[in-house]
Amino acid sequence: PELAAKVLLVGKSINFMKYCCKHPKALPGLGNENNEEQENRFAISEEDGFCYKPAYNDVETNMRAVKLLEAVDSVAKTTNARLCKLLLKDFSLLSHCRALKQYLMLGQGDTIQCLMDLLKKYLPKPASQIYRHHLNQQLETAVRASNAQYEAEGILERL
């Protein structure tokens, strides 16, 4: 069960990097070898006779199981390191979390206060009479009038 869970986690991580992050080298260790080497790297043939529950008296089967575990551990570590680097460095996850804390959880008081003051005239209106471009304009005004103007451009775009 531990091996299966680790393989599943690696697969989820690779899938996330490949499809959600659009990362071209989502699969760790690949790209430097030719396709045949890639396919055979972790292949277990039928003649190897690997079974899920190795016979503990069969030394060769146990060695194959250990090699499989080591290979999965190696790929898991590489994938985890690559995913952490991708999220923390390339996508600035911590900066976005800090921005969420400041703006959605009202940690940046002057910005929220300014925004609420600007939105006073819009709040009593029915939703059908409030337009997105008006709200965006008020948000931009609030950002320019507060300390939020000093945030990174990527953070402000997602506000």
Side-chain angles (χ1 to χ4, degrees), residues 82-141:
R82 192 170 284 180
L83 181 59
C84 287
K85 179 190 174 291
L86 183 69
L87 291 176
L88 296 176
K89 301 272 192 263
D90 298 350
F91 287 103
S92 306
L93 179 65
L94 295 179
S95 297
H96 291 292
C97 288
R98 188 178 51 78
L100 281 172
K101 178 184 172 192
Q102 285 184 326
Y103 301 109
L104 291 181
M105 298 181 172
L106 308 180
Q108 188 77 20
D110 63 333
T111 306
I112 298 301
Q113 184 62 47
C114 187
L115 180 62
M116 294 308 289
D117 289 343
L118 292 170
L119 291 177
K120 272 185 191 173
K121 62 183 177 185
Y122 295 99
L123 292 177
K125 293 182 180 181
S128 61
Q129 294 179 2
I130 299 174
Y131 299 102
R132 183 183 180 120
H133 63 277
H134 291 144
L135 297 178
N136 282 337
Q137 184 180 30
Q138 299 306 318
L139 176 62
E140 288 174 13
T141 303

Side-chain angles (χ1 to χ4, degrees), residues 32-102:
N32 300 329
E33 305 158 350
N34 65 36
N35 285 338
E36 206 171 296
E37 287 176 7
Q38 290 176 6
E39 290 174 8
N40 294 330
R41 187 170 178 184
F42 298 111
I44 298 173
S45 67
E46 290 179 24
E47 62 191 39
D48 282 342
F50 179 80
C51 59
Y52 182 69
K53 292 185 178 181
Y56 290 103
N57 58 1
D58 188 77
V59 176
E60 189 176 335
T61 303
N62 287 337
M63 291 301 290
R64 288 191 187 111
V66 169
K67 286 181 183 179
L68 178 65
L69 289 172
E70 288 172 356
V72 169
D73 280 341
S74 172
V75 171
K77 287 177 185 173
T78 305
T79 303
N80 187 36
R82 192 170 284 180
L83 181 59
C84 287
K85 179 190 174 291
L86 183 69
L87 291 176
L88 296 176
K89 301 272 192 263
D90 298 350
F91 287 103
S92 306
L93 179 65
L94 295 179
S95 297
H96 291 292
C97 288
R98 188 178 51 78
L100 281 172
K101 178 184 172 192
Q102 285 184 326

